Amino acid sequence: MMEVKTRPRITDGALLVLLAVFTAVSPRLLPAGAVGDRVLVQAGGKEWGVPLLEDGRREVPGPLGPAVLVVESGSARLQNAPCPLKICERMGPIRRAGEVIVCLPNRIVVKVPGREVVDAVTR
Amino acid sequence: MMTDTAPGPALGEPRLSLPLCILLTAVLALTGCGEPRPYKETRFMMGTLVEVSVYAPEKAAVQAVSRAFDRMAQLERVAHAGHEDSPLARLRRGEAVVLEGDLARILEAGMAVARASSGAFDPAMGELVDLWGLSMDRPRRPSDGEIGEALARKAGLALPSGACCPGGAPVWMDLGGVAKGYAVDMAVELLVDAGVASGVVNAGGDLRTFGRRPGRGIWKIGIQDPDSPQELAGVLQVGQLSVATSGDYQRYFEEDGVRYHHILDPATGYPARSGLRSVTVLAPDCVTADALATAVFVLGAEKGMKLLEGWPGAEGVLIKEDGTVLLTGGIGDGIRFERAGKGIRDQG
């Protein structure tokens, strides 16, 4: 049976270090809805990651033409989308786990990976 | 000889301090460590992004989910007028079509809501939907004359009934308000038959849960905040149920400073202006939830609430233009709703 003591011990330190490493290297274990450090982009049958920690602009290809993924201050949004209703431009910016931008006509999905607050969203 | 009489643990027993125990427990709880993760797959189909999320061993999940997507793709070919050989496209050309199987069941579900809502949901809106171009992503504001003529033709339409539509005059049906819901139902049926214990099928917001959600038993379904696309207006906690939402905030275009959204009022041919921004309907099956959400949005708060209260097994969360929320009587009785959006508040 495990004995619980109130005074810190050396083994505690080792466990704390392990815990810190475990949490740092495993983004999957972030709390639900936590601010993410990257987005996953799906377009043209491929998927790739884009870090949210470096500001920048990248073209994302789509059947209607390229859209621009803008990363700014830790969040991402789509800009200059060639689709007619521009729904995808209105969906951003995103930065927390589970948030997603979808461009249906141009077949682009941008999502912050990680544990989501809810199982699904109705919209 | 001095001996240490203080009691100590036997060699090899782990020892943790109380603060570390608390920290460990908190971290594990916050990170959700140990919570099972679903197998997820998404595809573009039926004019939306469909996500199937299941709790099952990966090999079985991959096979079952693939078959569920195949079934939905088959239904898309049947119930979408964009496919040249689909029964709907043939009806639009005035050809004779035998209505049976899936198409008959989709139409039957739509007509049931059409009758109960006095036509606020109308499967014969095909010509008007095309005229506004919103379903084809070619939006335009039709002239009043065009809308009047299309309404007159719609009034003269004899919707197919029974098993056979003999052909003759073109019939412009649009099953966009029910076909997605039906496809979700059929996908869930297939997954359950394949032995998948639990999951969610979500076709762009028309969704259905099945089984018990591993870890917490109930499913948490977010309702999008009409004013902020990445925020939630609230969270529903449900068991096995279907949920569908109709709102004016996602598919719209602006012309001369006027916003035109995609939910057309069958009585006027123009986007419905009922004072509602969002209607979320919960029902045992998704095809019904889908059609009811559209009907309630068109009817407005008062008549819409009456429709929901009289429909067996249906519940609703209605968000008005001023941000107030209306809940049907059954919310709170097995279904929980927590408000989350900044501008969302109780009625009164």
Side-chain angles (χ1 to χ4, degrees):
Chain A
M1 189 177 156
M2 184 180 289
E3 180 188 346
V4 175
K5 290 212 154 208
T6 53
R7 281 180 304 165
R9 305 180 63 88
I10 294 171
T11 48
D12 294 355
L15 260 173
L16 274 171
V17 170
L18 272 176
L19 207 60
V21 172
F22 186 58
T23 305
V25 299
S26 181
R28 279 164 45 115
L29 297 180
L30 285 169
V35 171
D37 60 358
R38 66 185 178 130
V39 287
L40 292 177
V41 182
Q42 292 170 20
K46 293 177 185 165
E47 181 178 287
W48 65 96
V50 174
L52 285 174
L53 304 175
E54 302 160 23
D55 288 3
R57 299 164 65 86
R58 294 167 179 83
E59 279 201 349
V60 180
L64 299 181
V68 176
L69 178 72
V70 180
V71 175
E72 221 169 38
S73 308
S75 61
R77 61 193 163 89
L78 282 179
Q79 203 180 53
N80 298 341
C83 51
L85 293 178
K86 314 285 184 200
I87 293 172
C88 54
E89 290 189 7
R90 298 197 299 260
M91 290 176 86
I94 55 172
R95 65 202 305 255
R96 291 183 305 230
E99 292 183 340
V100 64
I101 298 170
V102 180
C103 183
L104 292 172
N106 217 15
R107 306 277 166 131
I108 295 171
V109 180
V110 184
K111 184 170 187 176
V112 183
R115 253 186 4 110
E116 300 170 23
V117 175
V118 292
D119 295 299
V121 176
T122 181
R123 41 175 63 103
Chain B
M1 189 175 167
M2 295 282 290
T3 56
D4 186 356
T5 55
L11 280 174
E13 275 191 22
R15 292 196 273 187
L16 297 174
S17 68
L18 188 60
L20 186 61
C21 282
I22 293 167
L23 180 69
L24 198 63
T25 307
V27 168
L28 292 177
L30 282 170
T31 58
C33 194
E35 196 171 282
R37 292 179 181 280
Y39 170 80
K40 285 187 182 183
E41 207 174 311
T42 56
R43 289 190 197 174
F44 285 104
M45 59 190 342
M46 299 188 293
T48 192
L49 186 70
V50 179
E51 180 176 87
V52 178
S53 169
V54 297
Y55 290 88
E58 181 154 344
K59 193 178 172 189
V62 170
Q63 286 177 352
V65 169
S66 173
R67 287 178 55 210
F69 275 119
D70 289 347
R71 176 75 169 113
M72 286 188 277
Q74 179 211 355
L75 288 167
E76 184 180 17
R77 289 191 292 275
V78 169
H80 197 287
H83 291 273
E84 209 172 293
D85 294 330
S86 74
L88 288 199
R90 290 166 53 209
L91 278 172
R92 288 184 177 195
R93 295 196 293 267
E95 294 176 18
V97 172
V98 176
L99 292 173
E100 58 185 359
D102 292 317
L103 187 60
R105 285 192 285 274
I106 294 169
L107 187 59
E108 190 183 333
M111 290 305 291
V113 175
R115 284 190 293 272
S117 66
S118 305
F121 176 82
D122 186 348
M125 291 291 286
E127 188 177 1
L128 281 153
V129 167
D130 280 13
L131 206 54
W132 283 89
L134 280 157
S135 65
M136 299 175 293
D137 287 328
R138 288 198 294 269
R140 73 176 187 100
R141 177 15 176 131
S143 70
D144 294 345
E146 285 177 299
I147 291 170
E149 286 167 21
L151 274 178
R153 278 191 290 274
K154 182 172 78 73
L157 271 185
L159 271 185
S161 60
C164 191
C165 181
V171 179
W172 285 68
M173 279 203 292
D174 178 75
L175 297 178
V178 273
K180 262 192 298 179
Y182 182 80
V184 167
D185 288 333
M186 292 303 101
V188 168
E189 190 178 292
L190 191 145
L191 290 166
V192 170
D193 286 349
V196 175
S198 59
V200 186
V201 177
N202 186 354
D206 296 347
L207 63 93
R208 182 165 174 169
T209 64
F210 64 98
R212 278 174 61 81
R213 204 274 196 192
R216 58 170 175 256
I218 48 103
W219 302 90
K220 288 188 175 182
I221 308 298
I223 298 176
Q224 184 183 322
D225 187 331
D227 290 319
S228 185
Q230 297 299 340
E231 301 291 332
L232 299 178
V235 177
L236 288 161
Q237 295 188 21
V238 302
Q240 295 192 98
L241 213 56
S242 296
V243 185
T245 296
S246 285
D248 69 357
Y249 47 86
Q250 201 162 36
R251 259 183 125 68
Y252 67 85
F253 68 99
E254 290 181 5
E255 199 173 292
D256 299 329
V258 181
R259 178 191 279 212
Y260 300 100
H261 64 80
H262 77 295
I263 305 171
L264 301 178
D265 183 340
T268 66
Y270 289 86
R273 310 276 183 213
S274 63
L276 294 173
R277 295 223 58 207
S278 161
V279 173
T280 299
V281 172
L282 302 89
D285 59 82
C286 199
V287 65
T288 304
D290 207 357
L292 281 174
T294 306
V296 172
F297 187 93
V298 170
L299 286 171
E302 193 181 334
K303 289 179 182 171
M305 288 292 274
K306 273 187 193 161
L307 175 62
L308 289 177
E309 299 282 9
W311 195 282
E315 301 295 342
V317 178
L318 283 57
I319 302 176
K320 295 166 80 174
E321 283 175 347
D322 63 3
T324 53
V325 174
L326 301 173
L327 306 175
T328 51
I331 305 270
D333 183 20
I335 302 167
R336 287 183 60 195
F337 175 72
E338 296 165 10
R339 284 153 196 80
K342 294 186 189 92
I344 304 301
R345 58 183 185 276
D346 290 328
Q347 171 86 341

